[in-house]
mmCIF file of all heavy atoms in Angstrom:
data_model
loop_
_atom_site.group_PDB
_atom_site.id
_atom_site.type_symbol
_atom_site.label_atom_id
_atom_site.label_comp_id
_atom_site.label_asym_id
_atom_site.label_seq_id
_atom_site.Cartn_x
_atom_site.Cartn_y
_atom_site.Cartn_z
ATOM 1 N N GLU A 1024 95.600 104.379 113.314
ATOM 2 C CA GLU A 1024 96.284 104.889 114.442
ATOM 3 C C GLU A 1024 97.590 104.153 114.887
ATOM 4 O O GLU A 1024 98.232 104.556 115.881
ATOM 5 C CB GLU A 1024 95.342 105.168 115.624
ATOM 6 C CG GLU A 1024 94.646 103.978 116.043
ATOM 7 C CD GLU A 1024 93.345 103.535 115.289
ATOM 8 O OE1 GLU A 1024 93.216 104.101 114.071
ATOM 9 O OE2 GLU A 1024 92.618 102.668 115.656
ATOM 10 N N HIS A 1025 97.767 103.027 114.318
ATOM 11 C CA HIS A 1025 98.964 102.154 114.639
ATOM 12 C C HIS A 1025 100.309 102.948 114.549
ATOM 13 O O HIS A 1025 101.168 102.714 115.221
ATOM 14 C CB HIS A 1025 98.971 100.951 113.749
ATOM 15 C CG HIS A 1025 100.280 100.088 113.825
ATOM 16 N ND1 HIS A 1025 100.603 99.374 114.891
ATOM 17 C CD2 HIS A 1025 101.189 100.003 112.860
ATOM 18 C CE1 HIS A 1025 101.848 98.806 114.644
ATOM 19 N NE2 HIS A 1025 102.137 99.171 113.522
ATOM 20 N N TRP A 1026 100.299 103.771 113.431
ATOM 21 C CA TRP A 1026 101.617 104.398 113.124
ATOM 22 C C TRP A 1026 101.484 105.789 112.449
ATOM 23 O O TRP A 1026 100.638 105.900 111.466
ATOM 24 C CB TRP A 1026 102.354 103.380 112.100
ATOM 25 C CG TRP A 1026 103.761 103.755 111.906
ATOM 26 C CD1 TRP A 1026 104.544 104.778 112.486
ATOM 27 C CD2 TRP A 1026 104.657 103.200 111.014
ATOM 28 N NE1 TRP A 1026 105.899 104.715 112.112
ATOM 29 C CE2 TRP A 1026 106.001 103.677 111.070
ATOM 30 C CE3 TRP A 1026 104.606 102.099 110.065
ATOM 31 C CZ2 TRP A 1026 107.157 103.220 110.310
ATOM 32 C CZ3 TRP A 1026 105.588 101.676 109.319
ATOM 33 C CH2 TRP A 1026 106.904 102.324 109.433
ATOM 34 N N ALA A 1027 102.007 106.739 113.150
ATOM 35 C CA ALA A 1027 101.860 108.160 112.636
ATOM 36 C C ALA A 1027 102.836 108.357 111.387
ATOM 37 O O ALA A 1027 103.798 109.082 111.488
ATOM 38 C CB ALA A 1027 102.084 109.088 113.675
ATOM 39 N N LEU A 1028 102.381 107.792 110.275
ATOM 40 C CA LEU A 1028 103.197 108.088 109.055
ATOM 41 C C LEU A 1028 102.599 109.055 108.199
ATOM 42 O O LEU A 1028 101.456 109.557 108.415
ATOM 43 C CB LEU A 1028 103.121 106.694 108.190
ATOM 44 C CG LEU A 1028 104.193 105.643 108.342
ATOM 45 C CD1 LEU A 1028 104.022 104.665 107.182
ATOM 46 C CD2 LEU A 1028 105.544 106.194 108.426
ATOM 47 N N ALA A 1029 103.268 109.510 107.220
ATOM 48 C CA ALA A 1029 102.725 110.401 106.282
ATOM 49 C C ALA A 1029 103.108 110.069 104.873
ATOM 50 O O ALA A 1029 104.054 109.515 104.666
ATOM 51 C CB ALA A 1029 103.089 111.864 106.531
ATOM 52 N N ASP A 1030 102.153 110.432 103.886
ATOM 53 C CA ASP A 1030 102.615 110.256 102.501
ATOM 54 C C ASP A 1030 102.385 111.651 101.861
ATOM 55 O O ASP A 1030 101.227 112.158 101.825
ATOM 56 C CB ASP A 1030 101.658 109.246 101.757
ATOM 57 C CG ASP A 1030 101.795 109.269 100.317
ATOM 58 O OD1 ASP A 1030 102.725 109.657 99.712
ATOM 59 O OD2 ASP A 1030 100.762 108.909 99.666
ATOM 60 N N ILE A 1031 103.530 112.223 101.471
ATOM 61 C CA ILE A 1031 103.349 113.532 100.766
ATOM 62 C C ILE A 1031 103.577 113.241 99.251
ATOM 63 O O ILE A 1031 104.569 112.881 98.771
ATOM 64 C CB ILE A 1031 104.507 114.456 101.209
ATOM 65 C CG1 ILE A 1031 104.699 114.642 102.555
ATOM 66 C CG2 ILE A 1031 104.235 115.976 100.567
ATOM 67 C CD1 ILE A 1031 106.063 115.141 103.183
ATOM 68 N N VAL A 1032 102.459 113.690 98.443
ATOM 69 C CA VAL A 1032 102.545 113.458 97.093
ATOM 70 C C VAL A 1032 103.216 114.724 96.528
ATOM 71 O O VAL A 1032 102.590 115.898 96.724
ATOM 72 C CB VAL A 1032 101.028 113.271 96.316
ATOM 73 C CG1 VAL A 1032 101.330 112.702 94.921
ATOM 74 C CG2 VAL A 1032 100.305 112.242 97.240
ATOM 75 N N ALA A 1033 104.266 114.543 95.786
ATOM 76 C CA ALA A 1033 104.896 115.707 95.140
ATOM 77 C C ALA A 1033 104.505 115.621 93.624
ATOM 78 O O ALA A 1033 105.025 114.768 92.948
ATOM 79 C CB ALA A 1033 106.543 115.581 95.384
ATOM 80 N N VAL A 1034 103.800 116.571 93.208
ATOM 81 C CA VAL A 1034 103.233 116.603 91.827
ATOM 82 C C VAL A 1034 104.294 117.366 91.024
ATOM 83 O O VAL A 1034 104.554 118.542 91.101
ATOM 84 C CB VAL A 1034 101.912 117.198 91.813
ATOM 85 C CG1 VAL A 1034 101.419 117.318 90.320
ATOM 86 C CG2 VAL A 1034 100.823 116.543 92.635
ATOM 87 N N VAL A 1035 104.855 116.571 90.130
ATOM 88 C CA VAL A 1035 105.953 117.213 89.208
ATOM 89 C C VAL A 1035 105.314 117.411 87.720
ATOM 90 O O VAL A 1035 105.901 118.191 87.080
ATOM 91 C CB VAL A 1035 107.149 116.378 89.278
ATOM 92 C CG1 VAL A 1035 107.851 116.270 90.497
ATOM 93 C CG2 VAL A 1035 106.990 114.899 88.741
ATOM 94 N N ASP A 1036 104.308 116.630 87.492
ATOM 95 C CA ASP A 1036 103.864 116.675 86.101
ATOM 96 C C ASP A 1036 102.407 116.476 86.137
ATOM 97 O O ASP A 1036 101.876 115.271 85.751
ATOM 98 C CB ASP A 1036 104.598 115.501 85.286
ATOM 99 C CG ASP A 1036 105.635 116.068 84.387
ATOM 100 O OD1 ASP A 1036 105.546 117.212 83.869
ATOM 101 O OD2 ASP A 1036 106.590 115.427 84.223
ATOM 102 N N PRO A 1037 101.493 117.358 86.404
ATOM 103 C CA PRO A 1037 100.149 117.188 86.419
ATOM 104 C C PRO A 1037 99.644 116.987 84.930
ATOM 105 O O PRO A 1037 100.119 117.556 84.073
ATOM 106 C CB PRO A 1037 99.548 118.405 87.032
ATOM 107 C CG PRO A 1037 100.467 119.471 86.842
ATOM 108 C CD PRO A 1037 101.820 118.796 86.797
ATOM 109 N N GLY A 1038 98.688 116.121 84.829
ATOM 110 C CA GLY A 1038 97.962 115.985 83.533
ATOM 111 C C GLY A 1038 98.839 115.284 82.432
ATOM 112 O O GLY A 1038 98.385 115.241 81.271
ATOM 113 N N VAL A 1039 99.987 114.591 82.825
ATOM 114 C CA VAL A 1039 100.664 113.987 81.855
ATOM 115 C C VAL A 1039 99.983 112.651 81.559
ATOM 116 O O VAL A 1039 99.645 111.884 82.326
ATOM 117 C CB VAL A 1039 102.097 113.559 82.348
ATOM 118 C CG1 VAL A 1039 102.851 112.612 81.467
ATOM 119 C CG2 VAL A 1039 102.998 114.874 82.553
ATOM 120 N N LYS A 1040 99.705 112.500 80.068
ATOM 121 C CA LYS A 1040 99.014 111.329 79.680
ATOM 122 C C LYS A 1040 100.035 110.316 79.542
ATOM 123 O O LYS A 1040 101.025 110.244 78.900
ATOM 124 C CB LYS A 1040 98.239 111.650 78.431
ATOM 125 C CG LYS A 1040 97.176 112.661 78.471
ATOM 126 C CD LYS A 1040 95.901 111.984 78.813
ATOM 127 C CE LYS A 1040 94.806 112.957 79.106
ATOM 128 N NZ LYS A 1040 94.939 113.673 80.396
ATOM 129 N N SER A 1041 99.782 109.084 80.192
ATOM 130 C CA SER A 1041 100.755 108.014 79.961
ATOM 131 C C SER A 1041 99.966 106.697 79.739
ATOM 132 O O SER A 1041 98.714 106.684 79.648
ATOM 133 C CB SER A 1041 101.691 107.786 81.139
ATOM 134 O OG SER A 1041 100.800 107.606 82.243
ATOM 135 N N VAL A 1042 100.680 105.688 79.504
ATOM 136 C CA VAL A 1042 99.998 104.349 79.229
ATOM 137 C C VAL A 1042 99.412 103.919 80.689
ATOM 138 O O VAL A 1042 100.004 103.796 81.666
ATOM 139 C CB VAL A 1042 101.084 103.312 78.842
ATOM 140 C CG1 VAL A 1042 100.356 102.068 78.531
ATOM 141 C CG2 VAL A 1042 101.773 103.912 77.586
ATOM 142 N N GLY A 1043 98.136 103.407 80.659
ATOM 143 C CA GLY A 1043 97.423 103.003 81.815
ATOM 144 C C GLY A 1043 97.872 101.819 82.479
ATOM 145 O O GLY A 1043 98.633 101.044 81.715
ATOM 146 N N SER A 1044 97.695 101.564 83.764
ATOM 147 C CA SER A 1044 98.158 100.390 84.308
ATOM 148 C C SER A 1044 97.541 99.067 83.696
ATOM 149 O O SER A 1044 98.235 98.192 83.466
ATOM 150 C CB SER A 1044 97.700 100.218 85.833
ATOM 151 O OG SER A 1044 97.876 101.605 86.457
ATOM 152 N N ALA A 1045 96.207 99.268 83.133
ATOM 153 C CA ALA A 1045 95.549 97.971 82.693
ATOM 154 C C ALA A 1045 96.354 97.331 81.599
ATOM 155 O O ALA A 1045 96.650 96.196 81.590
ATOM 156 C CB ALA A 1045 94.233 98.382 82.176
ATOM 157 N N GLU A 1046 96.873 98.249 80.695
ATOM 158 C CA GLU A 1046 97.637 97.648 79.578
ATOM 159 C C GLU A 1046 99.002 97.074 80.073
ATOM 160 O O GLU A 1046 99.305 95.927 79.622
ATOM 161 C CB GLU A 1046 98.000 98.879 78.622
ATOM 162 C CG GLU A 1046 98.089 98.439 77.203
ATOM 163 C CD GLU A 1046 98.275 99.630 76.326
ATOM 164 O OE1 GLU A 1046 97.488 100.732 76.429
ATOM 165 O OE2 GLU A 1046 99.104 99.661 75.334
ATOM 166 N N ASN A 1047 99.606 97.747 81.031
ATOM 167 C CA ASN A 1047 100.951 97.266 81.414
ATOM 168 C C ASN A 1047 100.827 96.063 82.255
ATOM 169 O O ASN A 1047 101.672 95.244 82.351
ATOM 170 C CB ASN A 1047 101.745 98.381 82.092
ATOM 171 C CG ASN A 1047 102.642 99.056 81.108
ATOM 172 O OD1 ASN A 1047 103.309 98.344 80.359
ATOM 173 N ND2 ASN A 1047 102.693 100.372 81.152
ATOM 174 N N HIS A 1048 99.704 95.897 82.937
ATOM 175 C CA HIS A 1048 99.437 94.616 83.737
ATOM 176 C C HIS A 1048 99.598 93.443 82.785
ATOM 177 O O HIS A 1048 100.002 92.415 83.290
ATOM 178 C CB HIS A 1048 98.057 94.684 84.444
ATOM 179 C CG HIS A 1048 97.997 95.610 85.703
ATOM 180 N ND1 HIS A 1048 98.931 95.575 86.695
ATOM 181 C CD2 HIS A 1048 97.118 96.531 86.137
ATOM 182 C CE1 HIS A 1048 98.673 96.441 87.657
ATOM 183 N NE2 HIS A 1048 97.512 96.980 87.332
ATOM 184 N N ARG A 1049 99.087 93.610 81.538
ATOM 185 C CA ARG A 1049 99.140 92.512 80.672
ATOM 186 C C ARG A 1049 100.423 92.247 80.097
ATOM 187 O O ARG A 1049 100.669 91.156 79.467
ATOM 188 C CB ARG A 1049 98.093 92.728 79.550
ATOM 189 C CG ARG A 1049 96.699 92.615 80.065
ATOM 190 C CD ARG A 1049 95.736 92.720 78.981
ATOM 191 N NE ARG A 1049 94.407 92.420 79.249
ATOM 192 C CZ ARG A 1049 93.449 93.242 79.810
ATOM 193 N NH1 ARG A 1049 93.957 94.486 80.246
ATOM 194 N NH2 ARG A 1049 92.249 93.021 80.114
#
Side-chain angles (χ1 to χ4, degrees):
E1024 56 279 8
H1025 167 73
W1026 193 3
L1028 269 194
D1030 170 20
I1031 310 164
V1032 190
V1034 179
V1035 294
D1036 259 324
V1039 167
K1040 294 270 172 291
S1041 59
V1042 184
S1044 317
E1046 203 172 325
N1047 266 314
H1048 282 310
R1049 289 184 172 80

